Every structure is written in C-alpha cells, then in structure tokens.
Amino acid sequence: MKILTTIKELQEARNEIEGSVGFVPTMGALHDGHISLIRKARAENQTVFVSIFVNPTQFLPGEDLDAYPRKEQADKKICEMCKVDYLFMPDATTMYGEDEVLIKAPSKSYILEGKTRPGHFDGVLQVVLKLFGLVQPTNAYFGKKDAQQLSLIQQMAKNLFLSVNVVPCDIVRESDGLAMSSRNIYLSKEQRRDAIAISKSLYTAAALVSKKEFDIETIKNRMMQVMENLDVEYIAFVNREFNELKQIEVGNSIILIVARFGSVRLLDNMWI
C-alpha cells in the first residue's frame, strides 16, 4: 500500500493505473462499516483508493471539528489489511488552499439534515467533487446510512455528467442492531443501551409494512412508542428522490431517524 499526501503524488500514481478503480472516501476512524465498503471495492475493481480527510467545510460554526475522532495509525493498518493499493491522506491546505466554496448544493440539501445543518452539504459535495476529479474512479462506494448525502452525491454525478458509478452499500450494524458510526464511541454505557431503540423502531416499521400497513402516521406512532425514552429529532418518510411521502411505497421508500444523546446525533434509516 502506498500512502499519498500531496496532489502531485496522487496524480502521478493515477496516471500509471490502467483498469477499473474503486474509491472509498472517508473521514477516518474506520470501523466495520468502512471495511465493508473497502472490501466491496476490492472485490469489484483492479485498483483501490481510500481517502482519509476530515473535511472542515462540512462542519458548521459551533461544531467541534477538532473533536472529530482521528485514529491514523489504526486506519493505516486497517487499509493494509483490506489490501488497499493507495491511501490518500491530505491536509486542509492541500485540498483547499485559499479556495472558497465552488458549488452550491441543490434545494433538497436544505431539508432534514440540511435544515438542521444548513450549508453542511455544500462542504460535502465540494470535497467529494474534488476527490472525484483527482482519483477519477470507475466506482465510488458510499454507505446507505447517510442516505441524504448518498442521494445528493448521486444527483451531483448525474447533473455534472461525471463518469463515476456511485455504488450504494448496505448499513453495517452491531450485533444488537445499532448502526455503526464513528460517533458511537461518544455514547455512555446507558446511552449506548438506549440507542438500540432506534434500530428496533425501524424493524418495527418494517414488520408493519410486511403486514401491508402503509399508513405513515400509524407507523410513525408505533415507532415513537419504541423510542419513547429517546430525544428524537425527526422521523421522516421519503422516496428515493427524497420527496415526502403520503404513504409507504414498497420498493421506493426510506424511513429516516435522527436521535440525540446529549451532544451526539445518531442517524439511521431503513430502505423499504
């Protein structure tokens, strides 16, 4: 595995590569969810790039960029274990210099996560576009847990006629159902135990749909019963294009949840 830190190093490496390139962009603190993306990239491509970059432009004022978990040595070992060919680890100056935001996220970036964190997706799309331009991947792998982010990246690739194939990958969960996240380490033991109710509520929703219950208010009420002890920021029911649904459409619905545990926000969802 080669570790690259500059644009020149990455471009020189990319110019030598032939065949398909799989790319997994991350902010580090790698866990089994990231590993599943990397392994899929490894299985489907001749060359695999992973990037680790804690992107400052997607953090809003008041959000603690410096507190975001960083585990560089462990991350390097994980990438080696997963047989990554190139690991790109730039700093903020390398990625941005004096640049301002070059693109503006579409209107759907200001609902749900974007409503809570206005401007967040501007930063996400900018850094992903830069990375796509540098790595020029054949396939890029993103987890479904960040469903709104995934949808916006897919839309960006389509609107800008990018040749990359954006590959959605299933959520990886702990044995008790909690969706894997770099933020889980900030939960206390009690919060960690309570957080299981998030995935339980989604399984409850899926069970209701399997019994042909498609009424959103009925499903939402049952989910809230399961999460009665949680600080639920929102439950949303949208289709794959992130338009609000009147009722569940099987094969075209996503149920999204955000719950707060003190300063920690946990996201989860289920595609139905």
Side-chain angles (χ1 to χ4, degrees):
M1 182 179 77
K2 293 184 179 179
I3 297 176
L4 313 172
T5 59
T6 70
I7 303 301
K8 182 179 179 182
E9 288 174 338
L10 192 154
Q11 290 174 330
E12 288 176 350
R14 184 63 183 89
N15 288 338
E16 295 176 357
I17 294 170
E18 296 181 357
S20 61
V21 173
F23 178 42
V24 182
T26 82
M27 293 211 298
L30 304 181
H31 51 65
D32 283 351
H34 298 108
I35 291 171
S36 72
L37 303 181
I38 297 169
R39 286 178 172 164
K40 186 171 178 62
R42 179 74 279 166
E44 297 178 353
N45 300 275
Q46 292 166 279
T47 303
V48 174
F49 277 80
V50 171
S51 66
I52 294 176
F53 177 58
V54 181
N55 177 36
T57 66
Q58 67 191 69
F59 287 80
L60 306 185
E63 295 181 345
D64 196 348
L65 170 65
D66 293 334
Y68 193 86
R70 291 167 170 83
K71 301 180 179 179
E72 288 190 3
Q73 293 307 312
D75 290 345
K76 291 176 183 177
K77 290 180 180 179
I78 288 171
C79 288
E80 288 178 347
M81 175 191 73
C82 293
K83 302 187 185 321
V84 169
D85 296 296
Y86 296 95
L87 175 58
F88 182 46
M89 302 179 72
D91 59 21
T93 301
T94 298
M95 290 302 295
Y96 289 109
E98 300 299 323
D99 288 353
E100 296 181 1
V101 174
L102 301 177
I103 61 173
K104 196 74 173 173
S107 59
K108 287 180 184 176
S109 70
Y110 289 91
I111 62 173
L112 302 175
E113 284 303 285
K115 183 177 181 180
T116 305
R117 307 175 69 195
H120 164 70
F121 287 119
D122 292 343
V124 170
L125 294 184
Q126 174 167 249
V127 77
V128 171
L129 183 59
K130 283 173 173 277
L131 290 168
F132 280 177
L134 289 168
V135 177
Q136 302 173 51
T138 313
N139 303 295
Y141 298 81
F142 294 87
K144 288 183 176 180
K145 186 172 76 70
D146 295 304
Q148 188 175 6
Q149 170 181 286
L150 169 62
S151 175
L152 289 168
I153 290 169
Q154 289 175 316
Q155 183 178 345
M156 177 181 72
K158 179 181 178 182
N159 289 355
L160 298 181
F161 310 109
L162 305 180
S163 59
V164 60
N165 175 39
V166 177
V167 183
C169 300
D170 290 337
I171 295 172
V172 176
R173 299 183 179 277
E174 304 282 359
S175 58
D176 59 8
L178 183 68
M180 289 191 173
S181 169
S182 301
R183 293 181 171 86
N184 290 349
I185 62 172
Y186 296 126
L187 299 174
S188 68
K189 288 184 179 180
E190 182 179 351
Q191 289 172 331
R192 175 66 179 77
R193 184 182 66 245
D194 291 345
I196 301 169
I198 299 173
S199 57
K200 284 184 177 179
S201 76
L202 289 167
Y203 294 136
T204 297
L208 289 169
V209 172
S210 71
K211 296 175 183 176
K212 304 197 181 306
E213 176 58 76
F214 302 139
D215 180 70
I216 283 174
E217 284 304 311
T218 300
I219 295 171
K220 185 175 182 178
N221 289 338
R222 290 287 296 278
M223 293 175 70
M224 286 302 299
Q225 289 173 10
V226 176
M227 296 188 292
E228 61 181 351
N229 295 323
L230 302 190
D231 178 9
V232 178
E233 186 174 304
Y234 66 75
I235 301 177
F237 297 77
V238 300
N239 62 19
R240 298 292 198 268
E241 286 72 46
F242 271 74
N243 298 311
E244 187 176 357
L245 290 174
K246 301 292 186 183
Q247 69 172 19
I248 292 292
E249 300 173 2
V250 176
N252 189 37
S253 299
I254 309 174
I255 305 174
L256 305 108
I257 298 173
V258 172
R260 286 186 175 272
F261 298 83
S263 62
V264 181
R265 296 175 77 249
L266 295 186
L267 293 75
D268 202 350
N269 65 70
M270 184 166 286
W271 298 50
I272 291 177

